[in-house]
């Protein structure tokens, strides 16, 4: 098991497959100038699959989510998924993507064994999409969403980040659209993980504000009163259900106490928290001939030192050196 000194057990593994991306979301990446990881430092497909196997067979991981950067840019993605789907016990396999390219790949990924997708989309308006992501590719994301649903990658979840004076007037519109299409919408509070260190707490659109705006248009009732479990999203039934909406209030209502995550970066570093400032190097261990047992021991030790909380509310909080796109969101 991956257990820490606070008694939390990590069963949910996030694997970043690349730090590269075809969008430049303003809350994540700068327009230009972000250096990519050098290719030789990236884990190969075989190394990714080996680490996932160790996590699943030796360390109790039951869910694996591929992310990035943009994971659909990884040429070997379908092969990695297929090999992970053959593991025993079979982990649940999901993908977080910006949706670009999904229209072409959803069917093959489903066949390879992918169970679900989360597609990130912050606005329904193409001009706003262009301002937010610095790319004119809104239509491709919508096509990707449709393809995901048609391929049976369900429930299709949509992640939205709201930005002050850019799309903070859109939550109700986004929810009406998601309900109409059967997508499960979740709003994520903007976190201090952008490469350009531009996050400002006062500018952030809070969960309370999002809920206020939604409540003006929908009746919201807590889905499971007081039972959030390890799920980061607090969920509400929309107009009595069955549709729901989630809010991930990582900043204003952190869920660290129930966190069940462990993370692997594209260059083979284990991170026990999104906000951790330390990493444990599994790539060097793999490449210097470590056995599965030795790798598992390193991973366990990395988990043990997980801090109780993200430290976001501590005045001494320092943003981690790696941005979200390199950690794997
Ligand atoms: N490129 C893929 C995508 O956008 O879905 C996967 C990686 S992205 C880093 C994963 C998620 O992190 C996305 O839903 C994105 O909106 C979110 N994200 C990125 N930067 C963020 C930030 N500073 N605060 C909150 N969420 C952020
Ligand atoms: Fe790329 Fe995802 Fe970051 Fe947007 S949030 S720049 S799509 S990695």
């Amino acid at each position: 098991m991956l257990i820490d000194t606070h008694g939390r057990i990590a069963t949910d593994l996030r694997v970043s497959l690349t730090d590269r991306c075809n969008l430049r979301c303003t809350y994540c990446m700068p327009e230009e100038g972000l250096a990519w990881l050098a290719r030789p430092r990236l884990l190969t497909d075989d190394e990714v699959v080996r680490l996932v196997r160790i996590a699943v067979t030796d360390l109790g991981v039951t869910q694996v989510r591929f992310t990035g950067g943009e994971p659909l840019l990884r040429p070997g993605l379908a092969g990695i998924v297929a090999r992970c789907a053959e593991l025993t016990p079979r982990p649940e396999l999901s993908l977080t993507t910006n949706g670009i390219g999904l229209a072409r790949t959803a069917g093959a990924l489903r066949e390879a064994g992918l169970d679900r997708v989360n597609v990130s989309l912050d606005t329904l308006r193409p001009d706003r999409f262009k301002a937010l992501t610095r790319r004119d590719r809104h239509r491709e994301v919508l096509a990707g969403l449709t393809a995901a649903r048609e391929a049976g990658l369900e429930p299709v979840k949509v992640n939205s980040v709201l930005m002050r004076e850019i799309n903070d007037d859109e939550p109700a519109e986004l929810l009406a659209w998601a309900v109409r299409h059967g997508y499960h919408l979740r709003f994520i509070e903007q976190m201090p993980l952008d490469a350009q260190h531009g996050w400002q707490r006062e500018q952030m659109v809070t969960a309370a504000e999002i809920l206020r705006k939604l409540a003006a248009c929908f009746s919201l009732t807590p889905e499971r009163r007081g039972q959030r479990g390890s799920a980061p999203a607090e969920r509400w039934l929309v107009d009595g259900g069955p549709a729901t909406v989630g809010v991930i209030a990582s900043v204003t209502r952190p869920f660290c106490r129930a966190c069940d995550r462990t993370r692997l970066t594209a260059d083979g570093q284990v991170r026990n928290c999104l906000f951790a400032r330390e990493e444990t190097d599994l790539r060097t261990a793999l490449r210097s001939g470590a056995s599965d047992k030795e790798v598992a021991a390193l991973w366990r030790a990395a988990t043990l030192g997980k801090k109780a909380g993200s430290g976001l509310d501590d005045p001494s909080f320092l943003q981690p050196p790696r941005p979200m796109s390199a950690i794997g969101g």
Side-chain angles (χ1 to χ4, degrees):
M1 278 199 307
L2 288 173
I3 187 161
D4 67 39
T5 54
H6 304 278
R8 294 167 299 188
I9 298 169
T11 53
D12 182 343
L13 168 63
R14 311 267 143 153
V15 183
S16 173
L17 293 177
T18 176
D19 59 330
R20 295 177 189 239
C21 192
N22 39 18
L23 297 183
R24 293 288 181 278
C25 304
T26 51
Y27 49 75
C28 183
M29 279 193 183
E31 184 148 26
E32 49 190 54
L34 188 62
W36 307 127
L37 291 168
R39 295 249 177 227
R41 282 177 59 190
L42 293 185
L43 295 180
T44 63
D45 292 2
D46 285 350
E47 287 171 334
V48 169
V49 174
R50 179 170 173 210
L51 288 177
V52 172
R53 178 175 54 71
I54 291 170
V56 167
T57 59
D58 298 343
L59 296 170
V61 162
T62 56
Q63 298 182 50
V64 180
R65 172 172 294 276
F66 299 104
T67 179
E70 178 42 51
L72 291 177
L73 294 179
R74 174 108 184 187
L77 175 63
I80 292 172
V81 169
R83 290 167 68 191
C84 293
E86 281 166 10
L87 295 173
T88 312
R90 158 76 152 88
E92 197 179 286
L93 298 171
S94 56
L95 180 76
T96 298
T97 170
N98 63 27
I100 293 172
L102 198 55
R104 249 182 311 106
T105 52
L109 287 171
R110 178 73 184 141
E111 260 171 51
L114 191 69
D115 296 306
R116 289 182 294 104
V117 283
N118 284 26
V119 177
S120 305
L121 180 66
D122 308 320
T123 177
L124 297 173
R125 307 188 196 173
D127 55 328
R128 285 186 177 183
F129 183 89
K130 198 172 162 190
L132 259 166
T133 68
R134 305 187 180 103
R135 299 289 185 271
D136 193 5
R137 307 187 74 168
H138 190 249
R139 200 188 309 190
E140 292 168 75
V141 181
L142 295 181
L145 274 162
T146 307
R149 198 183 43 206
E150 285 171 357
L153 291 166
E154 288 179 301
V156 175
K157 292 188 184 170
V158 174
N159 293 347
S160 299
V161 176
L162 296 177
M163 299 285 284
R164 180 79 53 211
E165 282 167 22
I166 299 179
N167 62 340
D168 60 335
D169 58 350
E170 245 185 284
E173 218 176 299
L174 277 162
L175 181 55
W177 163 84
V179 170
R180 218 168 40 243
H181 288 86
Y183 304 139
H184 293 199
L185 180 64
R186 303 156 356 134
F187 291 98
I188 308 177
E189 279 181 345
Q190 189 196 353
M191 294 178 273
L193 288 169
D194 55 311
Q196 46 303 18
H197 290 223
W199 182 88
Q200 289 177 304
R201 187 179 287 262
E202 318 74 57
Q203 281 295 312
M204 189 190 71
V205 181
T206 63
E209 183 177 340
I210 297 168
L211 287 166
R212 238 185 353 261
K213 286 184 174 158
L214 292 176
C217 303
F218 303 92
S219 119
L220 300 180
T221 38
E223 192 187 27
R224 295 171 302 162
R225 208 173 284 274
Q227 287 177 20
R228 190 169 169 189
S230 67
E234 293 182 83
R235 298 208 303 187
W236 284 264
L237 293 172
V238 179
D239 291 338
T244 59
V245 63
V247 180
I248 304 183
S250 324
V251 180
T252 60
R253 298 191 56 182
F255 37 89
C256 304
R257 243 187 300 173
C259 178
D260 62 356
R261 301 211 172 145
T262 180
R263 294 171 188 276
L264 185 63
T265 64
D267 57 345
Q269 312 297 305
V270 163
R271 298 177 61 89
N272 56 28
C273 173
L274 208 44
F275 295 98
R277 298 186 58 81
E278 295 90 38
E279 300 181 337
T280 299
D281 183 6
L282 298 188
R283 184 192 70 238
T284 302
L286 288 185
R287 293 185 185 173
S288 36
S291 66
D292 287 359
K293 242 187 172 158
E294 286 163 337
V295 173
L298 281 172
W299 207 327
R300 276 196 206 95
T303 310
L304 209 56
K306 177 162 166 159
K307 295 208 170 107
S310 65
L312 267 174
D313 272 329
D314 191 325
S316 66
F317 173 78
L318 278 179
Q319 196 173 323
R322 279 196 205 242
M324 181 76 129
S325 56
I327 295 170

